[in-house]
């Protein structure tokens, strides 16, 4: 069995208030501290089938143009998700299953490109806007009982388990792959950066804060009791852990690697993009479903306006 990273954005960042401020508040943390960011999802090649965990941003999603006040920046395009998959030597028709950690578009963006795959989704997530019109969804009811300290799980096949992990979204899930004595934990944004795992901090992005805390506590307990490779979507630490087969030691954090690339270099277009889910606000279109007429600049949106897709506030948007 092989696990591979499908890499499609690099050289982003997540600020400490964004990555740590879910419970204590962003004002308790230093906005000048930024951790490396990226975007990648994962692929499991079992030898007789190819399984994806999440499917990247939709093709054509514009890059963000961050500034010194930006809380997060998903990074610069390497290529599209589909091109990244192709670069690993795989074609869409080879994919047999997709395990969706949650609805956000940086995880679900290319689901429609795999009409022949079974898409496994927590049954609580199937009503999400991002999943409408997709007919090959298999709602997961987590009927296989506990998986170690996680109360609800679904066995996908030998060595691959889908774990209920509510909090970041109400239908959030984790995938755990058992291989050669290690537990590879592919998680749906339990943390955005590994520093938050070590420091036991929640990000500011969640549907249910109480459940997000319960899930993080379970994740940390599991890691303390099992040799776990922790694989995130939003940090190069995710694929670095995979490539090194690095077992997480919560008492001995891996040193933070400073950002050594320039991120404040591009010219804005007038559009804005949500750094959480990739939704693009276009002033020429507005948000008519929520009473915002065409021609409304982003700067003139009401302060209580929220992303129509993931419901995050204006502070989670960057210029595009």
């Amino acid at each position: 069995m092989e696990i591979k990273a499908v890499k499609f954005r690099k050289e982003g960042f997540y600020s400490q208030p964004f990555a740590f401020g879910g419970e204590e508040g962003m004002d308790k943390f230093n906005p000048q501290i930024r951790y490396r960011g990226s975007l990648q999802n994962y692929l499991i090649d079992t030898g007789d089938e190819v399984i994806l965990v999440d499917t990247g941003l939709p093709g054509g999603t514009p890059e963000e143009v961050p500034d010194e006040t930006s809380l997060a920046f998903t990074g610069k395009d390497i290529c599209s998700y589909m091109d990244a998959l192709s670069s690993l030597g795989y074609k869409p028709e080879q994919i047999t299953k997709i395990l969706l950690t949650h609805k956000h578009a940086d995880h679900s963006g290319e689901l429609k490109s795999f009409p022949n795959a079974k898409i496994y989704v927590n049954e609580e997530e199937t009503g999400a806007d991002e999943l409408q019109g997709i007919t090959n969804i298999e709602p997961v009811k987590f009927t296989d009982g506990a998986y170690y300290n996680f109360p609800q799980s679904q066995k996908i096949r030998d060595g691959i388990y889908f774990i209920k992990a509510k909090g970041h979204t109400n239908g959030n899930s984790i995938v755990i792959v058992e291989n050669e004595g290690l537990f590879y934990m592919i998680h749906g944004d339990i943390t955005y950066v590994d520093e938050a795992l070590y420091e036991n901090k929640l990000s500011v992005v969640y549907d249910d804060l109480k459940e997000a805390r319960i899930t993080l506590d379970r994740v940390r307990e599991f890691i303390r009791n099992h040799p776990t490779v922790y694989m995130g979507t939003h940090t190069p630490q995710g694929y670095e852990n995979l490539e090194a087969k690095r077992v997480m030691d919560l008492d001995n954090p891996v040193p933070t690697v400073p950002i050594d690339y320039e991120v404040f270099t591009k010219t804005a277009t007038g559009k804005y993009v949500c750094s959480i889910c990739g939704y693009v606000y276009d002033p020429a279109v507005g948000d008519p479903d929520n009473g915002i007429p065409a021609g409304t600049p982003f700067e003139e949106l009401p302060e209580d306006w929220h992303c129509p897709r993931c419901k995050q506030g204006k502070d989670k948007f960057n210029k595009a």
Side-chain angles (χ1 to χ4, degrees), residues 114-125:
F114 302 94
N116 298 323
K118 289 185 177 181
I119 303 171
Y120 292 78
V121 181
N122 183 333
E123 64 177 349
E124 297 180 38
E125 202 91 323

Side-chain angles (χ1 to χ4, degrees), residues 45-162:
D45 189 334
T46 69
D48 60 6
E49 64 176 331
V50 182
I51 301 171
L52 300 181
V53 182
D54 297 340
T55 62
L57 284 165
T61 300
E63 291 184 17
E64 303 149 49
V65 181
D67 59 30
E68 291 287 351
T69 67
S70 298
L71 294 172
F73 170 45
T74 59
K76 306 169 187 176
D77 285 337
I78 301 170
C79 60
S80 70
Y81 174 86
M82 296 304 292
D83 284 344
L85 181 67
S86 177
S87 73
L88 293 176
Y90 296 94
K91 299 178 180 179
E93 55 267 28
Q94 292 177 264
I95 308 306
T96 56
K97 297 182 176 73
I98 299 171
L99 310 180
L100 185 68
T101 63
H102 64 289
K103 62 187 179 181
H104 291 160
D106 50 339
H107 299 258
S108 64
E110 289 289 351
L111 288 177
K112 292 180 180 179
S113 297
F114 302 94
N116 298 323
K118 289 185 177 181
I119 303 171
Y120 292 78
V121 181
N122 183 333
E123 64 177 349
E124 297 180 38
E125 202 91 323
T126 56
D129 291 345
E130 294 90 337
L131 306 186
Q132 299 313 297
I134 302 174
T135 59
N136 49 324
I137 286 177
E138 297 279 334
V140 176
K141 299 181 181 295
F142 301 99
T143 56
D144 289 334
Y147 179 83
Y148 295 97
N149 64 310
F150 295 100
Q152 293 176 277
S153 73
Q154 193 81 42
K155 182 177 179 180
I156 302 301
R157 57 173 288 158
D158 287 347
I160 302 177
Y161 299 86
F162 202 51

Side-chain angles (χ1 to χ4, degrees), residues 271-311:
K271 300 177 183 179
Y272 280 71
V273 60
C274 179
S275 62
I276 307 306
C277 74
Y279 171 84
V280 178
Y281 178 80
D282 184 346
V285 177
D287 179 15
D289 290 343
N290 291 293
I292 305 299
T296 304
F298 184 85
E299 293 80 4
E300 295 180 12
L301 292 173
E303 287 307 309
D304 61 354
W305 181 85
H306 289 78
C307 175
R309 183 185 290 157
C310 71
K311 311 308 179 187

Side-chain angles (χ1 to χ4, degrees), residues 161-232:
Y161 299 86
F162 202 51
I163 311 296
K164 193 171 187 178
K166 184 175 180 177
H168 178 67
T169 68
N170 286 323
N172 203 72
S173 304
I174 292 170
V175 175
I176 295 181
V177 181
E178 300 175 1
N179 191 39
E180 298 180 347
L182 297 178
F183 296 82
Y184 292 83
M185 181 180 286
I186 307 172
H187 62 88
D189 302 350
I190 302 303
T191 60
Y192 277 82
V193 296
D194 287 8
E195 286 84 358
L197 174 74
Y198 291 122
E199 295 294 330
N200 197 16
K201 303 295 186 184
L202 292 172
S203 81
V204 297
V205 185
Y206 51 79
D207 282 350
D208 189 318
L209 181 59
K210 179 181 177 181
E211 291 295 334
R213 166 46 58 192
I214 290 170
T215 291
L216 181 56
D217 287 346
R218 286 175 179 153
V219 165
R220 285 170 52 86
E221 179 186 351
F222 185 90
I223 287 171
R224 286 197 180 278
N225 290 290
H226 304 87
T228 303
V229 179
Y230 188 71
M231 297 161 53

